[in-house]
Amino acid sequence: MQIKEILALNPEEQQIEVKGWVRTKRGQSALSFVSINDGSTINNIQAVMDGEKIPEELMKKVSCGACVAVKGKLVASAGSGQNVEVLAEELIIYGEADESFPIQPKKHSLEFLREKAHLRFRTSTFSAVFRIRHALSYAVHQFYHERGFFNLHTPIITASDAEGAGEMFRVSTFEPNKAPLTEDGEVDFKEDFFARETSLTVSGQLEGELGAMALSKIYTFGPTFRAENSNTTRHLAEFWMIEPEVAFNDLKDNMNLAEEFIKYVINAAIKNCQEDLAFLDTRFQNENKTKPQLERSEHTLLEKLDFVIENDFARITYTEAIDILLASKPHKKKKFKFPVEWGIDLQSEHERYLVEKHFKKPVILTDYPKEIKAFYMKQNDDGKTVAAMDVLFPGIGEMIGGSQREESLTKLKTRMAEMEIDEENLWWYLDTRKFGTAPHSGFGLGFERLVQFVTGMGNIRDVIPFPRTPGNVEF
Ligand code: 4AD
Ligand code: MG
């Protein structure tokens, strides 16, 4: 039985067995108290060790980090903060941990714990974060399943760059003139696996569109890779993305889906992760107190989550956003570092101003200049903008990027030529426009940025079990 289930039992002196890792040990050899956690809940169970029943030799092996099993009676606890405890009758030591175990019962910095990523699961903070991550992931599948979407597994190794940003991790290179040949003069695939240049995918979108042009409503939820050298608290080289793609949806439908989706999964976390969120909220408020006045959040974590699910997101065009920024007086009347004019790619200082200072809520920005967006976005009638949308979140920045897709073969080909994108590589993508094309839209939500928002963790490296960033691939 998991500790979560045991803690919910009515204590009737029934025999139970607790298995888990020791968090703390107090007391003397005659009577000691050991708190044990198995990761099923933020709460520990306390085992009361009576020196008459548990041999001292064995008790000596119980220390922070050790793995134990305790058999005994479940009784009501007199101590505060817990309803039940176990009166130990038998102790089994699975694995000892000496005093070099790095996760001792004291406050460790997140930086320190990042260097101990293989053991940080054993802290309250990280186990809470990863339980919430699980709950969000489960809610993602529930949301789409309930609405008749099909989960499509798109490839991880690809020969195309969906975003055209050239930020791909190379899997294989290929030089046609140097390809090893068989005796028959064919390319020898045993020697050169793909005989193509291949990379890790930056997005499952293009393949997702193929699925949507038959299954109508699909979503992907998989790892994506970006070889951008961004050492920020919002970027990973390997992150998980959720990408719905829907036939017959226009940009407005796409915005509605994005807003409904985010609210649904946040709501699921609020409902299903109460104890973990309450724990992280306390953590969030303590951190908040140590921040400079200006960066301090006026609200608790739970208030922020409630606010998002209860209020409409703001929706404005890029052009309107530029007007707001031009008319703005950023804090202390200082100008933005990066000057604002129509056509610029919005920098995080601009996005933060719009979301945190101006609207004070999530904002959906639409209709960006075509020059700063990908080739596949639907061109608007003004000839200048495309039917793009980004969803911006307080404290996070861009949570979602998406668009209505260009469904006209001619327009798509023209745009690709302008952007010098090779048609030959994407002939299969263009086929969807050639055979039974249809209006369709989709977006990508960066899962870690969502987990960051929900858990209140400041650094994206602390919401993925094994972060991949420049220079980091140890665990
Ligand atoms: O805006 P992006 O690049 O959009 C796409 O990849 C589209 N193909 C999605 C689509 O329309 N199907 O990325 C989408 C989201 C961003 O809004 C951000 O949340 C996240 O992915 N993201 C990252 N998250 C962590 N680390 C990075 N390096 C990220 N790059 C993008
Ligand atoms: Mg984007």
Side-chain angles (χ1 to χ4, degrees), residues 81-145:
Q82 65 211 14
N83 295 329
V84 297
E85 61 190 17
V86 52
L87 300 182
E89 288 164 9
E90 191 186 335
L91 169 68
I92 299 160
I93 312 277
Y94 288 128
E96 295 173 50
D98 65 22
E99 60 289 341
S100 68
F101 178 60
I103 318 283
Q104 292 297 324
K106 61 172 185 178
K107 192 164 163 40
H108 295 293
S109 74
L110 293 173
E111 290 76 16
F112 170 83
L113 291 171
R114 235 168 269 148
E115 282 163 21
K116 308 279 182 259
H118 58 308
L119 295 170
R120 67 178 179 171
F121 296 97
R122 300 216 202 149
T123 63
S124 298
T125 298
F126 284 95
S127 58
V129 167
F130 295 129
R131 279 189 296 270
I132 293 170
R133 186 178 164 111
H134 164 77
L136 287 167
S137 160
Y138 187 70
V140 167
H141 290 293
Q142 269 183 320
F143 175 83
Y144 288 110
H145 179 74

Side-chain angles (χ1 to χ4, degrees), residues 74-253:
L74 189 71
V75 298
S77 173
S80 66
Q82 65 211 14
N83 295 329
V84 297
E85 61 190 17
V86 52
L87 300 182
E89 288 164 9
E90 191 186 335
L91 169 68
I92 299 160
I93 312 277
Y94 288 128
E96 295 173 50
D98 65 22
E99 60 289 341
S100 68
F101 178 60
I103 318 283
Q104 292 297 324
K106 61 172 185 178
K107 192 164 163 40
H108 295 293
S109 74
L110 293 173
E111 290 76 16
F112 170 83
L113 291 171
R114 235 168 269 148
E115 282 163 21
K116 308 279 182 259
H118 58 308
L119 295 170
R120 67 178 179 171
F121 296 97
R122 300 216 202 149
T123 63
S124 298
T125 298
F126 284 95
S127 58
V129 167
F130 295 129
R131 279 189 296 270
I132 293 170
R133 186 178 164 111
H134 164 77
L136 287 167
S137 160
Y138 187 70
V140 167
H141 290 293
Q142 269 183 320
F143 175 83
Y144 288 110
H145 179 74
E146 283 169 9
R147 283 157 187 76
F149 284 66
F150 300 104
N151 184 199
L152 194 74
H153 295 133
T154 49
I156 288 172
I157 302 173
T158 70
S160 58
D161 179 352
E163 293 306 299
E167 291 169 337
M168 308 188 78
F169 284 106
R170 204 60 70 215
V171 173
S172 62
T173 51
F174 182 60
E175 288 181 63
N177 303 330
K178 292 192 191 159
L181 303 179
T182 60
E183 281 172 8
D184 307 333
E186 303 281 329
V187 172
D188 188 347
F189 291 104
K190 278 202 193 113
E191 293 295 320
D192 193 334
F193 202 98
F194 291 113
R196 283 288 294 271
E197 202 169 275
T198 58
S199 310
L200 296 179
T201 186
V202 294
S203 157
Q205 178 196 322
L206 301 191
E207 294 87 353
E209 284 186 55
L210 309 185
M213 288 295 102
L215 297 162
S216 291
K217 298 202 270 187
I218 65 92
Y219 71 103
T220 73
F221 188 173
T224 47
F225 308 86
R226 306 258 167 123
E228 51 190 339
N229 207 340
S230 314
N231 253 312
T232 78
T233 55
R234 306 278 175 264
H235 288 89
L236 291 164
E238 177 178 309
F239 64 99
W240 288 67
M241 206 183 341
I242 297 134
E243 297 183 273
E245 194 67 38
V246 189
F248 319 116
N249 264 11
D250 63 13
L251 187 65
K252 185 150 186 262
D253 301 321

